[in-house]
Amino acid sequence: MTETAKGDTCGNSCCDMDGNSGNILNKKLPAGETLNGIKRTMMCAEVSEADIDNEVLIMGWVNKARNLGSMIFAVIRDRTGLLQTVFREENDPELYEKASLLRGEYVVAVRGTVRHRGEGAVNKDMPTGSIEVEASELKILSCADTPPIYIVEDLDAGELLRLKYRYLDLRRPDMQKNLLLRHRVVRSVREFYNDAGFIDVETPVLTRSTPEGARDYLVPSRIRKGAFYALPQSPQLFKQLLMVSGIDRYYQIAKCFRDEDLRVDRQPEFTQIDVEMSFVEPSDVMEINEKMIRKVFSEILGLEFTAPFIKMKYSEAMQRYGSDKPDTRFGMELADITDIAAGTAFRVFSEAAESGGSIKCININGGASFFKRKDIDSLTEYARTYKAKGLTWISFDGDGGIRSSAMKFLAETEIRAIASRAGSQQGDLILIAADKNKIVYDVLGQLRNEVAARMGMISPGTYSFLWVTEFPMFEYNDEENRWDPKHHPFTAPMDEDTGLLDSDPGKVRAKAYDIILNGNEIGGGSIRIHDRVLQEKIFTLLGMSDKETAEKFGFLLQAFRYGTPPHGGIAFGLDRIIMLMAGASSIRDVIAFPKVQNASCPMTEAPAC
């Protein structure tokens, strides 16, 4: 349905010629009746056969109304579901005449007696389909224009239109289910941490800028001209200060703000389950927060995970899956064929090896018949989006034939050796990337996800959790010729690696851990640096001067002078968790009023001058 044009009327008798609701031309219908003391007795979907012959009073929106001549059926909707009401002319002609005014999305209150519909009239598609309410009273509380979008489940409408009229979009049953799911998850999370001895503490929203990897949103100060507050990218420093304060176990459902490019799983303002603990090692943080995840998924989705979540070091995750957030619901692990391919006549392979790169591949079972040449070309173009120069492939056809994009450069013995390393059989397809290690990992890590999606390898409703541990402490920034923190500058190094901080920072591992669900990072944390001297050393290694350190983090370092317990924590992306639990394709579907790609709100037209 397209947006109603200005000047069009909604077609309802409550509207004047300018399409404005509320100017009632029919004087028998008051404009917006009041409740006048009446009370709703039940929600629509709460009414059941147990209530037959009882009087109920329901309130909600008219989902649809049908006039059959002597009877009017009006299906009423609230957030619990639908319930049919019936107005019979023979019972009350005046009430019947009033009911004839009902249109979709009118807000009404209906009093009546619950009756069985009769065997031939049961609607098996409705939970309340065996009953209806025979109306004895009707109040039309509010009239409505024809909505610009249908109020139906699985709406096929443009997202921009949906977000412009978000208050209507949120009336739809699937959107209300998502918000109810979010509510139930938050309640379960709070119950867990409360019972585990954590204290819910709010931290400031107006604070100072502290670099954490993204641009800040700034708020000008009216009182201090030229000065700005920054909206927090996370409560990181405050929760560390709470550990200095002796809070010991803290949690918060925190709003965070980051001015960065948006994706389907990223918003400029998002919600974080923030957790911090004193006197802990990584295993302590992972153990208690794994219990939280188990509780939530058991209570909300009825899923029980008997075995402990898999723990995998960062280096292993990269070597096996090409990603630090691998989807482990399917195989297709990377195979390193550098030693085989480097000695071939294929320059793409030899040059990659000579420059210090690598040659790796994935084997696709049954891929030879599933992926035609045009499909392989599309996978090659997909690989280019991750900076691949190209993609080499070898296809083992079912009839025993071999095809390859590098056929004239590879001997059959070399192809067979690659096939053996990759675990290939007839009917399989091998995809090979040769380049710098980072590019090879990025390309194949993403390709295995893309191939799995195209081939339907993943069963809906499956959940696979994984802890990734021992991340690199730093990554080198080639553009600015300096070290950057892999996570953030407050992450503690592994005890046995502290001696490498001066000699080889690239080999230092961090006491960091991420929790992955179905190839999505849903949480990340670390043990923090609690020693002032070590923290200052890390700031220096990252290229920060003493002056810059004092300006940005002086209050934290000052606090560390007065006795700081070893501490660590984790932050979960609540929106992302809800998205995965709901089976939604975007976190915008689980946030009441989200922003679009350019960080604007189509409904309020924010930001505004």
Side-chain angles (χ1 to χ4, degrees), residues 176-192:
Q176 298 216 340
K177 287 177 187 174
N178 288 349
L179 293 186
L180 177 60
L181 171 67
R182 187 184 182 104
H183 160 73
R184 293 173 62 208
V185 168
V186 169
R187 182 178 63 187
S188 181
V189 167
R190 289 190 183 279
E191 288 172 351
F192 175 85

Side-chain angles (χ1 to χ4, degrees), residues 439-594:
I439 293 176
V440 169
Y441 284 138
D442 286 347
V443 169
L444 295 181
Q446 294 297 330
L447 268 177
R448 63 183 295 273
N449 293 334
E450 179 70 11
V451 168
R454 294 193 190 189
M455 296 186 72
M457 292 182 178
I458 303 168
S459 300
T462 57
Y463 296 88
S464 178
F465 288 94
L466 170 74
W467 287 104
V468 177
T469 65
E470 297 186 20
F471 282 80
M473 182 100 173
F474 308 102
E475 52 189 0
Y476 198 74
N477 187 328
D478 291 317
E479 293 181 2
E480 300 187 25
N481 194 30
R482 61 178 172 82
W483 290 104
D484 287 337
K486 180 71 173 178
H487 279 76
H488 54 61
F490 318 108
T491 300
M494 299 285 286
D495 295 338
E496 58 269 36
D497 291 352
T498 54
L500 297 171
L501 287 171
D502 293 320
S503 60
D504 197 349
K507 290 184 178 180
V508 177
R509 294 165 299 156
K511 293 182 180 178
Y513 35 81
D514 284 355
I515 184 167
I516 312 302
L517 172 57
N518 296 352
N520 297 270
E521 178 197 334
I522 61 170
S526 66
I527 301 301
R528 325 302 186 188
I529 298 170
H530 71 282
D531 178 72
R532 176 190 173 97
V533 175
L534 178 57
Q535 185 64 81
E536 289 178 335
K537 183 181 185 69
I538 297 300
F539 288 149
T540 300
L541 195 152
L542 295 173
M544 297 175 61
S545 66
D546 291 344
K547 180 180 179 182
E548 186 180 4
T549 297
E551 287 177 350
K552 292 182 177 179
F553 304 110
F555 62 96
L556 178 70
L557 296 175
Q558 179 70 21
F560 280 8
R561 288 180 174 273
Y562 301 105
T564 305
H567 59 280
I570 192 169
F572 293 94
L574 176 64
D575 310 303
R576 197 171 294 177
I577 292 173
I578 304 298
M579 177 186 76
L580 295 170
M581 295 180 76
S585 58
S586 167
I587 62 171
R588 290 191 288 270
D589 285 338
V590 298
I591 297 173
F593 300 103

Side-chain angles (χ1 to χ4, degrees), residues 71-130:
M71 292 187 298
I72 295 172
F73 292 100
V75 177
I76 311 303
R77 182 191 71 247
D78 62 20
R79 67 178 175 86
T80 66
L82 305 172
L83 180 62
Q84 180 169 283
T85 62
V86 58
F87 301 83
R88 303 181 190 276
E89 186 175 23
E90 61 184 8
N91 292 348
D92 190 333
E94 187 175 343
L95 181 63
Y96 171 85
E97 182 181 356
K98 186 176 184 180
S100 68
L101 299 171
L102 295 179
R103 301 290 186 273
E105 300 311 306
Y106 278 30
V107 182
V108 298
V110 181
R111 188 194 305 274
T113 303
V114 181
R115 306 292 189 200
H116 196 281
R117 287 198 192 188
E119 294 302 325
V122 171
N123 184 345
K124 295 182 180 180
D125 294 330
M126 286 173 55
T128 60
S130 63

Side-chain angles (χ1 to χ4, degrees), residues 114-151:
V114 181
R115 306 292 189 200
H116 196 281
R117 287 198 192 188
E119 294 302 325
V122 171
N123 184 345
K124 295 182 180 180
D125 294 330
M126 286 173 55
T128 60
S130 63
I131 56 175
E132 62 189 11
V133 173
E134 191 164 305
S136 59
E137 182 181 357
L138 168 66
K139 281 183 177 286
I140 300 179
L141 304 173
S142 177
C143 298
D145 289 347
T146 300
I149 62 173
Y150 289 112
I151 315 297

